[in-house]
Amino acid sequence: MAKTVQHEAVLPLWDERPPGTPADLTPDIEERSATPFRANRAMTGIAMPGLTAWVPERPNGTSIVIAPGGSYRRIVLDKEGLEIAKALAPLGVTCFLLSYRLPDEGHAGRGDAPLADAQRAIRLVRAHASEWNLNPQQIGFMGFSAAGHLAASLATGYDKNLYTPREDEQGISARPDFVMLVYPVVTMQDAGVHAGSRDALLGKTPTPEQKYARSPEEHVDTSTPETFIVHADDDPSVSPANAVAFYSALQQAGVKAELHVFRDGGHGFGIAGAAPLPAAGWPDLLAGWLDRIGALPDGHSLLEKTL
């Protein structure tokens, strides 16, 4: 049997605490669910970011790094993490759930910390692709809500020099092969901004130069990966203008993209939370898109049939 990464293996991104991490920062997980049998945990205090592997019964070589959202102030572990990995497993996709540094927790270079973690996550998976029987050219990145901004930032800033790569990742690209944004925060400009995410990432008084530099829609070019985008028109938290702006930038750059804006869905719906709203159809649309871009080489049935 071909070797794969161990199911539920926890893979630290860094050999030790990243420089500038507060010494007193410790992990904390809060259960926020009012329903006893449906978890809704949020994690803070991330001093040692890492990946947790979710390995399907029949891996097809495609992998996706999943970054849950939480306004850059917390990481929503279940509905934007574990729930997604479980749904993708029947399609043969190996998932890596990303816990990344939260910029408002006192890290040095606060605005760079999450993106450096995302870069390292892609390089880590790609560096071990052969060992884990994964395709190094079929590594995707999926971000929800504020982590949609992280995913879009990685798609446009994968080559930023944010840390010194280790010897075993020299020459390994941090560019994801495809990107998925789900009800994403994108812009840091005033029009359409999700203020809470921007405050956490850049502080309460960012300069115009910082706003521009951290707005991924301003930095799309022909090397930006193909992108799948989902949003709801009635999102009360993050304006769908964020999704539209990134899609428009992709289209102008000639990058293939797919955008779905549902009439009803709200924000933070994940998969189970979308039922019975129109937004519940997004996993099936994602599966179809993954198939079309060649990320489901075994021709698995649509995701809808696995839920």
Side-chain angles (χ1 to χ4, degrees), residues 41-197:
R41 298 168 298 160
M43 184 177 185
T44 55
I46 298 166
M48 283 292 290
L51 294 171
T52 299
W54 196 267
V55 182
E57 184 178 346
R58 294 183 296 277
N60 64 16
T62 293
S63 58
I64 294 176
V65 175
I66 300 173
S71 298
Y72 275 135
R73 298 181 187 276
R74 66 195 69 83
I75 291 178
V76 178
L77 300 176
D78 296 296
K79 66 178 179 179
E80 296 174 0
L82 186 58
E83 181 179 288
I84 310 303
K86 287 181 175 179
L88 287 167
L91 299 180
V93 177
T94 299
C95 291
F96 295 91
L97 302 169
L98 175 63
S99 59
Y100 51 92
R101 284 172 287 170
L102 299 170
D104 203 32
E105 292 191 329
H107 299 281
R110 62 189 291 171
D112 289 335
L115 181 54
D117 291 343
Q119 289 180 341
R120 172 62 183 152
I122 293 293
R123 287 190 174 117
L124 179 63
V125 175
R126 188 163 279 137
H128 291 275
S130 178
E131 174 189 349
W132 296 338
N133 199 35
L134 298 173
N135 185 342
Q137 297 179 323
Q138 286 289 5
I139 302 173
F141 194 99
M142 176 185 284
F144 291 77
S145 194
H149 178 268
L150 177 56
S153 297
L154 179 65
T156 57
Y158 57 85
D159 56 353
K160 286 186 175 181
N161 185 19
L162 300 182
Y163 72 96
T164 302
R166 300 188 326 186
E167 184 176 346
D168 62 353
E169 63 180 37
Q170 292 289 335
I172 296 178
S173 175
R175 179 186 183 273
D177 297 293
F178 53 95
V179 172
M180 297 137 287
L181 314 180
V182 185
Y183 38 84
V185 173
V186 177
T187 193
M188 292 289 122
Q189 307 277 24
D190 292 343
V193 72
H194 181 253
S197 295

